[in-house]
Amino acid sequence: MAENNEIISNIRDSVINLSESVKDGQKNPEAINFSQGSVSELFPSASVLPAVDSEDCLFASKSGSHGSGVQVKPLWTDHVYDILPFDNPDGGVWKQGFDITYNENEWNSEPLQVFVVPHSHNDPGWLKTFDDYFRDQTQHILNNMVIKLQEDNRRKFMWSEISYFSKWWDGIDSQKKDAVKRLIKDGQFEIVTGGWVMPDEASPHYFALIDQLIEGHQWLEKNLGVKPKSGWAIDPFGHSPTMAYLLKRAGFSNMLIQRVHYSVKKHFATQKTLEFFWRQNWDLGSSTDILCHMMPFYSYDVPHTCGPDPKICCQFDFKRLPGGRVSCPWRVPPEAIHAGNVQHRAWMILDQYRKKSKLFRTKVLLAPLGDDFRYAESSEWDQQYQNYQKLFDYMNSHPEWHVKAQFGTLSDYFEALRKESNVGEKSSNSFFPVLSGDFFTYADRDHHYWSGYFTSRPFYKRLDRVLESYLRAAEILYSMALVQSSKSEKMSVFPSVDNYKLLTEARRNLGLFQHHDAITGTSKDWVVVDYGTRLFHSIMNLKKVLIDSAHILILKDKGAYNYDMSTPFLKMDDVQSSQDSLPRKTVIKLTSQPRYLLIYNPMEQERLSVVSVNVNSPRVKLLSPLGKPVAVQISAVWDGATTVSHEAYQISFVAHLPPLGLGVYQLLEVQSSEAVLADYNIYLRNSRQEKPDKLFKIKEMQNSVDNIILENSYMKLWFSGMSGLLEVCCIIFQNTVFYCFKNFELRLHNPKFG
């Protein structure tokens, strides 16, 4: 492992050096590297914070008050990870951090602005299914929101998941809808991110991330006329720069993240770099910059959001008042705010606000107020909003405290932050540092690394990709078929409306599965089955869309078009019987009359691809769309490890299709086939005396200590002759072994590997 780490480090350093050379070649006079400066030089205001253990302070910007100064080159997160010890010393009340102190006179010239941001995190499936959560909790949260926000125009609230919001919207009356629109217009209610879900950022394909974002945004535009401008990602298990890039391209200016390794959070807190411009690695300018706020503490619940001491912050989660179903683990309950205790309680929470603000560069503070499925009961709205308003009123009425506290939305906070730091909406100046890279792998405590979900429940991760590919293909074919159907009265019976609904449902089911408790596999088993059922039904529905659309497109005589829902014009080449079963290849019955095989290329490039289908006879002939014979290989379909089926045979050939093109091939049964038969070597533990197969040449080999080698011009593989398991894989580049993996470890080329 030490050898591997050294190799990987050398490769990374080479890439970094090359990148720096390219950047230097841009001759940017404003790019200055302060990596040799001390922490005190770079951050004179950080004297109360612990020093960094490295002489290189890579993540920094030398700036004066409110952003004057020059901007350094962006730091890659890899640099931060290299200098961190990833230890976990006890930090006091902030266990994963450090003690924070301050001077009470720090806010005399400029008061602390506190934005308390009420929110409710609604997982679209986790311990309950999507529909069960909606029935039991989510609908009540949103119903109460409409009532309670209208009682006091100082109240604010945020929402993220459009999958839930759209379901609720479809069931409410026009009066409630009008009230929601007023609340949005007045700035009391804000939609943040606005995706169909709050997606995982490691497992999804970026197409699916874009799709779920578009689905949410189009719904908002159509129904509310709203375009979100701030991202809110408090629960994905690690954060990807891809998501930052997509939000930036969607027109966002700001974003917030939460689940980042606790050592990284602590390091950023010491440097006052929890707020930064997140830039893509490949961006030599600043066009991809998006202002990002990283929450500093353990979680997004109330005990970990008002300040560094969860024992105190928990006392200001008024849902936990004595007599309720939720209490504080630190065994000190909240107190309802009244005239007799308001001074003391206000000072307690202001102390937490002040300490938290010391981790940031401005005197604008964000204090989220929420947790999973909060505000479902009317009583909680009263408990939280009324008690906090009393605290705000008291603080704000004492100018000697130098604080202005209020409810706010995420955009309220970012607007105040940009104003305070003189950072424009579209320009990044040097007040905040610039960062490139990702925040994986996440650990929330000790060595609890959240990496298992990268590969857990692989069957459903695959089902996600299958649905995604079907959806892309169906959308394109449907669009082309829609154009054709409008050209004549005969084709007007094409089921365009029904298929459009199926496409929308499939897009939303795919979007739902990008949720950070869905594609990750972190939901309960019965919830996973619910997700799988949705994916499976949409795959079935998209097959119908594909069949209907291809039907209208391949007919030469469009006047002969006749749509019959009970008798599909085409059949798919595979069949899946349920959400948890494997697909089975359809066996095509061959006769002397041609069977037509329709192949579709959903990509916008010309393709040469191997296509395999199953037929019932080895006496096969294949004709191209131009009627010319096509070379075919016949392979065995195996009933077991060593038994060949004679009910089905796999034929493989190279299909050549134009961009977004359809090709119609012909399959026939002939007396004498010119197809090539596959040969097989079977390695057995013990010799077997069986009759040779009547069609395929199968050579039985005895297990030995010798390796089994498979190779081509790009790769060479060594398998154990005893176990059959892969032992070595070498990549070949320009006829030279470039590098090898042995037992999943990267190794340099060694002559013994060949």
Side-chain angles (χ1 to χ4, degrees):
M1 288 304 294
E3 182 183 353
N4 288 343
N5 291 337
E6 182 180 356
I7 293 166
I8 293 170
S9 178
N10 290 337
I11 293 172
R12 185 185 62 225
D13 290 344
S14 298
V15 173
I16 291 171
N17 290 337
L18 177 61
S19 173
E20 294 297 336
S21 299
V22 172
K23 292 175 184 176
D24 290 342
Q26 301 298 309
K27 300 186 183 299
N28 180 0
E30 294 185 354
I32 299 177
N33 191 339
F34 289 98
S35 61
Q36 299 306 313
S38 67
V39 176
S40 59
E41 279 182 300
L42 295 169
F43 301 108
S45 62
S47 58
V48 298
L49 303 178
V52 180
D53 294 332
S54 170
E55 64 180 8
D56 287 344
C57 184
L58 294 167
F59 188 12
S61 65
K62 192 175 181 69
S63 59
S65 176
H66 303 295
S68 62
V70 289
Q71 186 171 330
V72 302
K73 294 177 182 178
L75 168 71
W76 287 21
T77 51
D78 285 358
H79 295 168
V80 176
Y81 304 153
D82 284 344
I83 66 174
L84 291 185
F86 287 98
D87 53 359
N88 190 19
D90 191 329
V93 294
W94 178 17
K95 292 296 182 184
Q96 297 171 330
F98 45 82
D99 289 330
I100 305 173
T101 60
Y102 62 85
N103 184 327
E104 290 190 13
N105 298 323
E106 288 185 42
W107 293 272
N108 287 359
S109 60
E110 187 179 355
L112 181 65
Q113 295 183 67
V114 180
F115 290 91
V116 174
V117 178
H119 68 97
S120 182
H121 179 63
N122 280 236
D123 291 305
W126 176 38
L127 306 179
K128 299 180 184 179
T129 66
F130 174 82
D131 287 333
D132 286 347
Y133 269 137
F134 180 81
R135 183 194 64 234
D136 297 344
Q137 286 145 292
T138 305
Q139 64 172 328
H140 305 303
I141 298 169
L142 292 169
N143 285 332
N144 283 324
M145 177 270 294
V146 178
I147 298 169
K148 294 298 180 179
L149 289 188
Q150 292 184 96
E151 291 180 357
D152 188 336
N153 60 14
R154 295 172 296 180
R155 295 179 178 180
K156 303 290 184 84
F157 195 66
M158 291 191 328
W159 193 265
S160 177
E161 300 83 7
I162 304 304
S163 52
Y164 275 132
F165 195 84
S166 64
K167 184 177 177 67
W168 172 72
W169 186 264
D170 290 342
I172 62 176
D173 57 33
S174 58
Q175 186 177 0
K176 270 188 181 177
K177 291 178 180 179
D178 290 340
V180 171
K181 292 176 181 178
R182 284 196 306 272
L183 291 169
I184 291 175
K185 183 180 179 181
D186 294 341
Q188 287 186 256
F189 180 55
E190 181 184 17
I191 301 290
V192 285
T193 307
W196 202 245
V197 296
M198 185 185 293
D200 175 46
E201 299 181 20
S203 305
H205 191 281
Y206 73 91
F207 272 22
L209 287 177
I210 294 171
D211 269 354
Q212 67 84 31
L213 195 61
I214 290 174
E215 191 63 28
H217 284 195
Q218 287 190 331
W219 188 94
L220 287 170
E221 183 179 359
K222 177 182 176 182
N223 293 277
L224 295 175
V226 167
K227 183 178 180 181
K229 56 183 178 180
S230 296
W232 174 260
I234 57 174
D235 205 21
F237 319 137
H239 295 281
S240 165
T242 298
M243 199 67 204
Y245 177 71
L246 295 180
L247 293 180
K248 175 70 174 183
R249 292 301 299 267
F252 284 50
S253 304
N254 318 295
M255 63 181 296
L256 175 146
I257 58 177
Q258 151 60 20
R259 289 193 182 270
V260 173
H261 194 295
Y262 59 89
S263 289
V264 177
K265 286 191 174 193
K266 178 180 177 180
H267 175 74
F268 282 16
T270 65
Q271 305 298 296
K272 292 194 174 184
T273 53
L274 289 162
E275 289 172 328
F276 52 88
F277 281 101
W278 202 346
R279 179 180 298 175
Q280 299 304 306
N281 286 349
W282 41 262
D283 183 5
L284 299 181
S286 59
S287 64
T288 61
D289 287 7
I290 182 170
L291 182 57
C292 181
H293 172 102
M294 181 189 295
M295 294 172 63
F297 305 126
Y298 170 77
S299 178
Y300 54 84
D301 61 359
V302 182
H304 298 95
T305 49
C306 91
D309 191 342
K311 179 179 180 181
I312 292 177
C313 289
C314 193
Q315 297 174 51
F316 294 89
D317 184 357
F318 295 102
K319 181 180 173 65
R320 303 176 194 251
L321 284 165
R325 290 178 294 174
V326 188
S327 60
C328 285
W330 297 269
R331 298 183 180 179
V332 183
E335 295 178 15
I337 304 302
H338 52 79
N341 68 0
V342 64
Q343 179 180 5
H344 174 63
R345 306 304 284 187
W347 184 256
M348 281 178 64
I349 196 167
L350 178 58
D351 177 62
Q352 290 299 303
Y353 290 158
R354 285 179 169 181
K355 287 177 177 176
K356 183 177 181 179
S357 76
K358 291 297 295 178
L359 307 180
F360 297 89
R361 297 191 177 193
T362 73
K363 293 179 170 60
V364 181
L365 183 70
L366 175 70
L369 182 67
D371 200 353
D372 292 359
F373 296 96
R374 281 300 188 89
Y375 302 95
E377 298 166 350
S378 176
S379 58
E380 183 181 359
W381 289 82
D382 296 334
Q383 290 166 340
Q384 303 284 28
Y385 283 87
Q386 291 176 8
N387 283 294
Y388 266 97
Q389 193 60 58
K390 292 175 183 177
L391 293 169
F392 297 161
D393 291 344
Y394 188 86
M395 292 182 199
N396 297 338
S397 66
H398 286 74
E400 70 276 11
W401 283 20
H402 303 289
V403 61
K404 180 184 179 183
Q406 63 208 318
F407 292 118
T409 63
L410 189 59
S411 290
D412 290 337
Y413 169 72
F414 276 116
E415 286 171 12
L417 179 69
R418 285 177 173 272
K419 183 178 179 181
E420 169 81 6
S421 58
N422 285 339
V423 175
E425 279 293 314
K426 296 183 179 179
S427 63
S428 333
N429 74 8
S430 58
F431 189 83
F432 295 112
V434 179
L435 174 75
S436 293
D438 64 72
F439 294 106
F440 291 113
T441 299
Y442 171 60
D444 59 341
R445 65 182 80 176
D446 301 322
H447 294 297
H448 297 187
Y449 282 89
W450 294 42
S451 56
Y453 81 88
F454 296 162
T455 53
S456 60
R457 303 193 193 268
F459 178 88
Y460 292 98
K461 282 179 166 64
R462 175 193 171 274
L463 202 62
D464 161 82
R465 295 298 199 265
V466 171
L467 174 57
E468 189 174 352
S469 65
Y470 272 116
L471 178 61
R472 172 66 175 160
E475 285 176 334
I476 296 171
L477 271 189
Y478 171 82
S479 300
M480 293 191 290
L482 198 60
V483 173
Q484 286 291 334
S485 67
S486 64
K487 291 183 177 180
S488 76
E489 185 67 28
K490 182 74 174 177
M491 292 185 288
S492 63
V493 294
F494 174 68
S496 57
V497 174
D498 291 342
N499 283 347
Y500 183 83
K501 291 178 180 178
L502 296 180
L503 284 169
T504 301
E505 181 186 43
R507 200 177 301 113
R508 292 178 175 182
N509 282 337
L510 178 66
L512 187 70
F513 195 66
Q514 307 316 304
H515 164 52
H516 56 265
D517 286 311
I519 193 171
T520 57
T522 53
S523 297
K524 294 294 186 181
D525 288 349
W526 60 87
V527 180
V528 173
V529 170
D530 181 68
Y531 287 133
T533 302
R534 292 170 184 267
L535 298 178
F536 170 69
H537 282 315
S538 284
I539 289 173
M540 298 300 104
N541 289 337
L542 290 176
K543 288 182 176 181
K544 177 186 180 302
V545 176
L546 287 167
I547 289 170
D548 290 348
S549 301
H551 179 192
I552 203 171
L553 290 170
I554 64 172
L555 288 178
K556 289 184 178 179
D557 180 8
K558 304 299 184 184
Y561 178 72
N562 179 44
Y563 176 73
D564 184 353
M565 185 172 62
S566 62
T567 310
F569 185 72
L570 298 163
K571 294 182 179 178
M572 301 297 292
D573 72 324
D574 65 358
V575 177
Q576 186 173 343
S577 59
S578 64
Q579 62 89 22
D580 58 351
S581 64
L582 292 172
R584 292 179 292 102
K585 281 280 189 181
T586 300
V587 179
I588 301 171
K589 308 293 184 183
L590 298 182
T591 68
S592 58
Q593 295 299 312
R595 297 294 305 274
Y596 295 99
L597 181 62
L598 178 62
I599 304 174
Y600 172 50
N601 173 19
M603 300 182 68
E604 55 271 22
Q605 296 91 28
E606 181 182 40
R607 288 182 71 186
L608 281 168
S609 297
V610 175
V611 173
S612 298
V613 295
N614 285 5
V615 297
N616 69 328
S617 170
R619 301 190 305 275
V620 62
K621 183 177 183 180
L622 180 69
L623 300 178
S624 73
L626 297 177
K628 296 181 179 180
V630 178
V632 171
Q633 174 180 298
I634 301 178
S635 304
V637 174
W638 297 85
D639 280 342
T642 60
T643 307
V644 174
S645 168
H646 291 289
E647 302 298 322
Y649 304 86
Q650 178 180 281
I651 67 165
S652 301
F653 61 95
V654 176
H656 182 198
L657 292 175
L660 305 178
L662 288 161
V664 182
Y665 288 75
Q666 298 179 57
L667 283 168
L668 304 91
E669 186 175 37
V670 293
Q671 290 299 317
S672 177
S673 174
E674 297 181 0
V676 176
L677 293 173
D679 292 341
Y680 296 94
N681 291 338
I682 300 180
Y683 289 80
L684 304 170
R685 293 184 185 278
N686 300 301
S687 61
R688 295 162 50 250
Q689 299 296 324
E690 290 189 3
K691 294 186 295 182
D693 187 80
K694 61 184 180 182
L695 182 64
F696 295 100
K697 182 181 177 181
I698 301 175
K699 184 178 180 181
E700 295 183 358
M701 312 284 289
Q702 290 299 311
N703 281 24
S704 68
V705 293
D706 295 333
N707 284 333
I708 304 163
I709 300 175
L710 300 178
E711 62 180 313
N712 60 21
S713 56
Y714 303 103
M715 186 177 293
K716 192 169 185 178
L717 308 175
W718 284 257
F719 296 86
S720 166
M722 294 300 295
S723 68
L725 298 177
L726 178 65
E727 291 194 336
V728 181
C729 169
C730 287
I731 307 301
I732 300 170
F733 181 68
Q734 294 183 346
N735 299 320
T736 303
V737 176
F738 188 54
Y739 60 83
C740 297
F741 290 90
K742 182 174 183 181
N743 298 329
F744 303 103
E745 296 178 5
L746 177 64
R747 294 180 180 270
L748 288 178
H749 167 57
N750 186 308
K752 75 177 182 180
F753 295 147

